[in-house]
């Protein structure tokens, strides 16, 4: 009977979260807000029909682990390498100043000492999932303000893991015990971190090169890698979150990470839903949620304004332009959902009561809701306040040039068709990005080193965004899948030239109607060429010999390059003209 009740609780959470998420989307709100509200509605605050125990508790713990794994998976160091020094300065300063501000606000509002420490540590983080999602949707994640924000969030995430590990310790009321715990955390994280980086350089590339083409195995191995790191972390008496986070970092440095992120996100979202709902379930009553509602409103306003000016000062101090400083700051004003993660752990440690968790929950809901609209309309806000902010501009403040795809060429698939076109596209557009989902093709592109490449399925949104499809000037697709080509035509700019491939006349007709500049039909073209060659063979043998000479040379050249020394399947010196019969 107990198992039935637990299953019913779990089903209620999923159904309610789906309904509330659909409603939240109508108001442009992120699903995380909907998930927290699901717990509030189903828990003691409102209906009191679900409790956090058994299956829900296990799923929630896994949800926190997967949330940290996804954060680690987004930590691609190449994304911020160009501006690493200023980002480090900004992130360190932001962490110190915003922690001090949160401490001062909590102290001014009259909270107890331990509560102040928990609140200060909990409210310093930016809402990584919300910021990354909104900036990605607006195609601003690779802009300079977007890269600054992502870089700061990466440093914050490292700080978050340390805080989570600290709150997972047995005692926090003894300064010596706290110092000892922090020392152990840093040493153990160092060991696991070194193993993580070594794996990402020596072990994982070989492993994933062998399995990346097998979708099911690819996913299972990635999940197994997460649980391996979780087991290692627990063996060192660290939290589940530390292991999951470091597992994500090690996988993030692989060329297959974006494809993996797209494949694993639906699974992890399922667990993350339960985790955020469980936070709402831990609030004991409506009275707990609203016990400090006035303080939550005041703190939300003060922290949003204060966080903006702290970030603006730090970015501006690094010599970036006023617009970059403004946009990078206004995107980071909210109190993160991770304040609830820290709050939930502090509640388990009995460092705070349910009322403080309710205060953190209310503050997170208020600031995340407001910041969603702020980020969505960040450019419009800047246009309105730009005249006042001009006083901070000077000639010395010049934004750094970032390596960004723009007015480039994108090739979908690396085969005989695209390979011959790539040198021309490189010469014409300067930058070429090749997207392919075969590991041997990616390995060949990496070895040649002439073109940028992405491993993955172009059906996935993250892959198309990483290739800069919306900014491309030329798109060449060698796939005959009509839905894929239709998606490319829909997403490419109106002024882009798009060449696609089809194997049926009806598909070619549809693609032309959707805006394709040219539809390649290799069977049709091959048929025409074959007919022409046969006619020449019978009417003018000399002309036939001249016409096919270039084709034969190409075949032999490609054969020498691609046929490995260990598996010669045919004689490269043979004349292809003698493979068939001769009517002479």
């Amino acid at each position: 009977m107990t198992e039935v009740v637990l299953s019913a609780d779990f089903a209620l959470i999923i159904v309610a979260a789906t309904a509330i998420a659909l409603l939240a989307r109508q108001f442009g709100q992120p699903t995380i807000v909907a998930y927290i509200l699901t717990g509030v509605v189903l828990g003691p605050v409102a209906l009191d029909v679900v409790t956090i125990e058994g299956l829900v508790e296990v799923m929630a713990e896994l949800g926190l682990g997967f949330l940290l794994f996804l954060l680690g998976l987004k930590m691609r160091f190449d994304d911020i390498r160009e501006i690493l020094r200023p980002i480090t300065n900004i992130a360190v300063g932001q962490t110190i100043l915003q922690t001090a501000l949160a401490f001062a606000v909590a102290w001014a509002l009259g909270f107890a000492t331990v509560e102040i420490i928990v609140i200060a540590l909990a409210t310093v983080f930016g809402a990584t999932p919300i910021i990354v999602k909104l900036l990605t949707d607006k195609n601003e994640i690779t802009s300079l303000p977007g890269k600054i924000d992502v870089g700061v969030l990466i440093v914050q995430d490292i700080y978050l893991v340390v805080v989570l590990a600290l709150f997972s310790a047995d005692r926090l009321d003894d300064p010596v015990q706290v110092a000892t715990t922090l020392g152990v955390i840093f040493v153990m994280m160092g060991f696991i971190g070194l193993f993580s980086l070594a794996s990402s350089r020596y072990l994982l590339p070989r492993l994933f090169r062998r399995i990346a083409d097998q979708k099911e195995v690819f996913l299972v191995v990635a999940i197994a890698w997460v649980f391996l790191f979780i087991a290692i972390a627990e063996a060192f008496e660290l939290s589940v979150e530390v292991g999951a986070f470091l597992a994500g970092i090690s996988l993030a440095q692989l060329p297959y990470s974006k494809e993996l992120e797209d494949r694993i996100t639906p699974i992890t979202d399922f667990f993350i839903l339960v985790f955020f709902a469980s936070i709402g379930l831990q609030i004991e009553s409506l009275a707990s949620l609203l016990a400090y509602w006035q303080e939550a409103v005041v703190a939300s306003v003060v922290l949003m304004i204060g966080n903006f000016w702290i970030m603006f000062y730090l970015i501006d101090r690094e010599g970036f332009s006023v617009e970059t400083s403004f946009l990078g700051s206004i995107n980071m004003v909210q109190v993160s959902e991770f304040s609830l993660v820290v709050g939930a752990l502090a509640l388990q440690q009995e460092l705070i009561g349910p009322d403080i968790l309710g205060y953190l929950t209310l503050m997170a809901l208020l600031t995340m809701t407001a910041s969603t609209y702020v980020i969505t309309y960040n450019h419009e806000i800047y246009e309105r306040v730009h005249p006042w902010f001009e006083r901070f501009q000077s000639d010395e403040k010049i934004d750094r040039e970032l390596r960004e795809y723009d007015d480039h060429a994108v090739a979908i698939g690396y085969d005989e068709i695209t390979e011959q076109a790539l040198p021309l596209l490189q010469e014409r557009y300067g930058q070429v990005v090749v997207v392919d989902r075969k590991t041997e093709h990616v390995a060949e592109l990496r070895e040649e080193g002439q073109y940028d490449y992405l491993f993955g399925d172009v059906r996935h949104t993250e892959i198309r965004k990483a290739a800069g499809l919306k900014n491309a000037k030329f798109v060449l697709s060698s796939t005959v899948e009509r839905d894929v080509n239709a998606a490319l035509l829909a997403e490419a700019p109106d002024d882009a030239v798009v060449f696609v491939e089809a194997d049926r006349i009806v598909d070619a007709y549809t693609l032309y109607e959707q805006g394709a500049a040219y539809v390649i039909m290799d069977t049709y073209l091959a048929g025409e060429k074959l007919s022409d060659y046969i006619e020449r063979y019978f009417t003018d043998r000399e002309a036939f010999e001249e016409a096919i000479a270039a084709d034969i040379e190409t075949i032999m050249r490609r054969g020498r390059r691609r046929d490995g020394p260990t598996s010669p399947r045919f004689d490269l010196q043979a004349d292809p003209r003698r493979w068939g019969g001769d009517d002479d």
Side-chain angles (χ1 to χ4, degrees):
M1 185 66 182
T2 304
E3 289 78 3
V4 175
V5 173
L6 292 176
S7 299
D9 286 351
F10 187 66
L12 273 174
I13 291 174
I14 301 302
V15 173
T18 302
I20 296 174
L22 289 173
L23 184 62
R25 289 294 294 268
Q26 298 301 312
F27 295 95
Q29 290 301 310
T31 51
I32 290 173
V33 172
Y35 298 159
I36 298 169
L37 287 175
T38 298
V40 172
V41 171
L42 297 180
V45 172
L47 301 178
D48 198 15
V49 294
V50 175
T51 57
I52 179 167
E53 58 183 26
L55 180 62
V56 174
E57 187 174 13
V58 172
M59 293 289 283
E61 186 173 0
L62 285 174
L64 178 56
F66 276 119
L67 178 61
L68 270 293
F69 169 67
L70 275 182
L71 286 181
L73 197 57
K74 292 179 183 292
M75 283 184 58
R76 302 176 184 94
F77 297 123
D78 285 342
D79 291 347
I80 60 170
R81 193 182 303 276
E82 300 158 285
I83 49 174
L84 184 58
R85 178 172 292 182
I87 278 179
T88 303
N89 296 336
I90 293 167
V92 172
Q94 180 263 355
T95 301
I96 295 171
L97 293 177
Q98 287 193 12
T99 302
L101 175 64
F103 188 97
V105 171
W107 176 80
L109 292 174
F111 290 102
T113 303
V114 175
E115 294 171 345
I116 291 172
I117 294 172
V118 172
I119 291 170
L121 291 174
T123 54
V124 71
F125 309 106
T128 302
I130 293 175
I131 294 170
V132 170
K133 177 69 167 62
L134 290 173
L135 291 181
T136 301
D137 289 345
K138 295 185 67 181
N139 203 30
E140 294 180 15
I141 196 70
T142 57
S143 66
L144 185 55
K147 287 205 170 189
I148 291 172
D149 290 340
V150 168
V152 172
L153 290 171
I154 285 174
V155 178
Q156 284 187 357
D157 292 341
I158 297 172
Y159 176 50
L160 169 67
V161 171
V162 175
V163 172
L164 292 179
L166 183 62
F167 276 106
S168 298
D170 294 330
R171 292 184 58 192
L172 294 177
D173 54 352
D174 183 356
V176 176
Q177 181 70 27
V178 170
T180 304
T181 301
L182 281 175
V184 171
I185 288 171
F186 283 122
V187 171
M188 295 300 101
M189 282 183 64
F191 279 123
I192 301 176
L194 287 174
F195 175 68
S196 169
L197 292 175
S199 300
S200 68
R201 177 168 295 184
Y202 302 109
L203 172 63
L204 292 176
R206 295 181 181 180
L207 174 62
F208 277 86
R209 194 179 301 129
R210 293 176 178 271
I211 64 169
D213 291 334
Q214 306 170 47
K215 294 184 179 181
E216 294 79 9
V217 178
F218 183 58
L219 192 59
V220 169
V221 170
I223 295 174
W225 186 255
V226 180
F227 282 102
L228 170 64
F229 268 74
I230 288 174
I232 294 173
E234 290 192 329
F236 283 109
E237 298 184 350
L238 295 173
S239 65
V240 167
E241 300 80 49
V242 173
F245 181 72
L246 292 173
I249 289 178
S250 62
L251 293 175
Q253 315 315 316
L254 300 177
Y256 319 109
S257 61
K258 287 189 181 293
E259 175 73 4
L260 175 60
E261 184 182 337
D262 244 16
R263 291 184 188 177
I264 206 169
T265 295
I267 299 173
T268 54
D269 280 352
F270 186 71
F271 291 97
I272 291 169
L273 181 160
V274 181
F275 168 69
F276 282 112
S278 72
I279 291 175
L281 293 174
Q282 292 181 61
I283 303 172
E284 291 187 348
S285 64
L286 181 61
S288 293
L289 180 64
L290 301 178
Y292 295 107
W293 73 268
Q294 292 174 315
E295 289 85 347
V297 172
V298 171
S300 297
V301 173
V302 173
L303 288 178
M304 288 184 74
I305 296 173
N307 290 348
F308 169 81
W309 282 110
I310 287 171
M311 281 292 292
F312 184 87
Y313 163 72
L314 292 170
I315 299 174
D316 182 74
R317 189 182 64 170
E318 292 297 321
F320 292 100
S321 69
V322 169
E323 182 176 6
T324 296
S325 301
F326 182 91
L327 295 176
S329 304
I330 204 169
N331 296 336
M332 299 276 286
V333 296
Q334 67 286 108
V335 172
S336 168
E337 71 280 359
F338 292 117
S339 64
L340 309 183
V341 177
V342 175
L345 286 175
L347 181 65
Q348 292 175 12
Q349 293 282 8
E350 298 182 353
L351 297 171
I352 60 172
D355 290 357
I356 301 300
L357 182 60
Y359 164 79
L360 291 172
T361 302
L362 194 57
M363 191 160 52
L365 290 172
L366 289 171
T367 58
M368 285 193 293
T369 301
S371 69
T372 299
Y373 296 108
V374 168
I375 295 174
T376 301
Y377 299 104
N378 54 4
H379 286 280
E380 289 80 356
I381 295 171
Y382 176 71
E383 288 301 319
R384 287 183 175 274
V385 300
H386 171 251
W388 190 87
F389 276 85
E390 277 187 337
R391 67 190 66 190
F392 298 104
Q393 187 65 51
S394 68
D395 294 336
E396 290 79 22
K397 294 176 181 177
I398 301 174
D399 287 340
R400 293 158 176 79
E401 292 292 331
L402 290 181
R403 184 178 179 273
E404 191 175 14
Y405 294 131
D406 193 31
D407 293 342
H408 61 299
V410 177
I412 310 302
Y414 186 63
D415 56 16
E416 286 77 6
I417 292 176
T418 55
E419 186 179 6
Q420 295 184 61
L422 291 180
L424 296 172
L425 296 177
Q426 180 90 321
E427 181 181 348
R428 180 69 176 83
Y429 296 101
Q431 281 185 314
V432 177
V433 185
V434 182
V435 180
D436 198 284
R437 55 184 176 184
K438 290 188 177 295
T439 52
E440 61 267 26
H441 292 170
V442 171
E444 188 176 338
L445 287 164
R446 185 190 302 115
E447 186 177 342
E448 290 178 357
Q450 295 182 15
Y451 314 107
D452 291 349
Y453 57 86
L454 287 170
F455 173 85
D457 192 334
V458 77
R459 288 184 182 87
H460 296 156
T461 305
E462 288 297 321
I463 298 297
R464 296 199 301 273
K465 287 178 178 175
L469 186 62
K470 289 185 177 180
N471 300 324
K473 277 293 185 182
F474 192 100
V475 180
L476 173 61
S477 171
S478 65
T479 178
V480 296
E481 297 175 67
R482 192 176 69 180
D483 59 330
V484 173
N485 289 325
L488 296 175
L489 288 164
E491 193 163 325
D494 294 337
D495 60 345
V497 178
V498 183
F499 281 29
V500 294
E501 188 173 356
D503 56 2
R504 299 191 304 164
I505 292 292
V506 63
D507 290 346
Y509 177 80
T510 302
L511 292 168
Y512 273 124
E513 284 200 323
Q514 292 173 340
Y518 180 64
V519 179
I520 307 162
M521 296 193 66
D522 54 355
T523 53
Y524 175 75
L525 294 174
E528 277 199 337
K529 193 169 186 179
L530 176 62
S531 176
D532 178 57
Y533 278 6
I534 291 174
E535 182 179 355
R536 293 190 189 190
Y537 182 83
F538 288 118
T539 60
D540 188 346
R541 185 68 61 88
E542 185 177 346
F544 169 76
E545 296 281 354
E546 292 177 358
I548 67 170
D551 294 347
I552 294 171
E553 175 60 29
T554 299
I555 290 170
M556 296 185 71
R557 185 178 66 251
R558 292 175 183 274
R560 290 191 188 96
R561 188 180 66 185
R562 292 193 173 180
D563 193 55
T566 59
S567 57
R569 290 173 291 178
F570 56 88
D571 183 3
L572 292 176
Q573 303 304 317
D575 188 341
R577 286 170 289 190
R578 300 191 178 277
W579 290 349
D582 195 329
D583 62 348
D584 287 343

